[in-house]
Amino acid sequence: MPVRLAGAVAALLTVVTACSTAARTNPPVPAPGVEARELSVPFDRYNFSTADIMILEAAEDLLVRDCMRKRGMVWEVVPPGAADDLEPPNRRRYGVVEPEIARLYGYHVAPDRPSVARRAEARERRTKGLSAAERQAVYGETDGCLQQARSHIEQGAPPVDMALFNKLITQTFEESQRDPKVLQVFRSWSGCMRAEELRYADPLAAITDQRWLSGGPPTQEEIRTAQADVRCKVKTGLVSVWSGVEKRIQDNVVRAYPAEFRALGAAKDQQLAAARRVLAEQG
């Protein structure tokens, strides 16, 4: 199975997901900003991005379609999302960093872009429309078409220590927050926020403020706070300092576990290559 983002960073990503549906009435949905697209950390090399997962799922779809045909059943292949619409992997790693997202949604998760939303809706319709026999044919644990598709894509990929990788994702993110440089920039950011009459120790405290988690659309106070948060990140250089520290920490960890990270990189590369072969042959 694809390596998924885990640990502390995943918790941050989902912290206000429950409120995201309320923002769906706020068109238009802007494309992810350059501030989010340019964020990267060394572990990205070993993790599957949203774009990578889209490739894997598109290949799986074609393999499941062929498997279902052999069983006399139909499987609808859903369209992929447009590349420019996909969520950047580190979009909310340091909280909200895009001025336009802060202006429109505050700390709420921005709704999906149109092509991604259409894909999600098509997948949901397909799942709901399956008969009991079709569901068993697709999702059966021993001979299901989806399991066969994934086995095909994963064939030959080396085993990886997912538990270790998830643990290291969490540990390195937490360690970065204790680094003296990051603590100093947190203090500078907090001082900037106080100048706007907002009191938070760090950006994670701002994005997890319970006032934003009560449901419903973002309030004007939430939007004002998120906009100040983004301005203070820019003013203090918080994102560049924090990401620089994380890069150093993660680079050290990769060097400390050379065999494990070689396996992760090889498994990712082999699965993506297998998926691309399926798309080239059958797409």
Side-chain angles (χ1 to χ4, degrees), residues 224-236:
R224 184 182 81 85
T225 302
Q227 288 181 298
D229 179 352
V230 173
R231 286 195 300 271
C232 287
K233 284 186 174 90
V234 173
K235 183 176 180 180
T236 61

Side-chain angles (χ1 to χ4, degrees), residues 159-180:
V160 296
D161 191 338
M162 285 300 304
L164 175 64
F165 188 46
N166 290 338
K167 178 182 176 181
L168 292 173
I169 289 171
T170 302
Q171 286 183 348
T172 54
F173 187 68
E174 291 176 347
E175 182 181 346
S176 73
Q177 296 172 65
R178 299 189 295 269
D179 185 271

Side-chain angles (χ1 to χ4, degrees), residues 33-191:
V34 65
E35 301 88 356
R37 290 193 180 280
E38 289 184 347
L39 281 178
S40 66
V41 292
F43 281 10
D44 291 346
R45 163 69 185 90
Y46 309 95
N47 212 343
F48 286 91
S49 68
T50 308
D52 295 334
I53 292 170
M54 190 74 69
I55 292 170
L56 295 172
E57 290 180 346
E60 288 173 359
D61 238 7
L62 294 174
L63 293 171
V64 170
R65 178 197 63 187
D66 293 349
C67 174
M68 292 288 278
R69 282 177 178 171
K70 292 175 182 177
R71 301 182 184 194
M73 299 177 182
V74 174
W75 178 257
E76 177 191 357
V77 174
V78 300
D84 289 344
D85 288 349
L86 301 180
E87 186 87 357
N90 300 299
R91 188 175 197 176
R92 295 170 69 84
R93 190 177 198 90
Y94 308 119
V96 176
V97 298
E98 300 155 273
E100 188 68 359
I101 295 300
R103 183 182 72 82
L104 291 173
Y105 306 110
Y107 289 111
H108 281 54
V109 176
D112 290 333
R113 290 273 287 170
S115 69
V116 177
R118 287 193 295 271
R119 173 178 171 80
E121 290 164 2
R123 286 166 64 92
E124 184 176 358
R125 283 195 307 270
R126 181 178 66 187
T127 300
K128 287 182 177 179
L130 293 175
S131 67
E134 290 168 336
R135 189 177 299 275
Q136 179 61 31
V138 176
Y139 300 112
E141 292 184 7
T142 56
D143 64 344
C145 289
L146 182 57
Q147 182 56 49
Q148 290 183 28
R150 289 177 174 170
S151 295
H152 177 87
I153 290 172
E154 295 169 8
Q155 185 175 7
V160 296
D161 191 338
M162 285 300 304
L164 175 64
F165 188 46
N166 290 338
K167 178 182 176 181
L168 292 173
I169 289 171
T170 302
Q171 286 183 348
T172 54
F173 187 68
E174 291 176 347
E175 182 181 346
S176 73
Q177 296 172 65
R178 299 189 295 269
D179 185 271
K181 289 183 179 179
V182 173
L183 291 173
Q184 178 58 53
V185 82
F186 280 175
R187 287 191 289 270
S188 298
W189 174 90
S190 184

Side-chain angles (χ1 to χ4, degrees), residues 19 174 196 204:
C19 303
E174 291 176 347
E196 305 226 20
L204 303 189

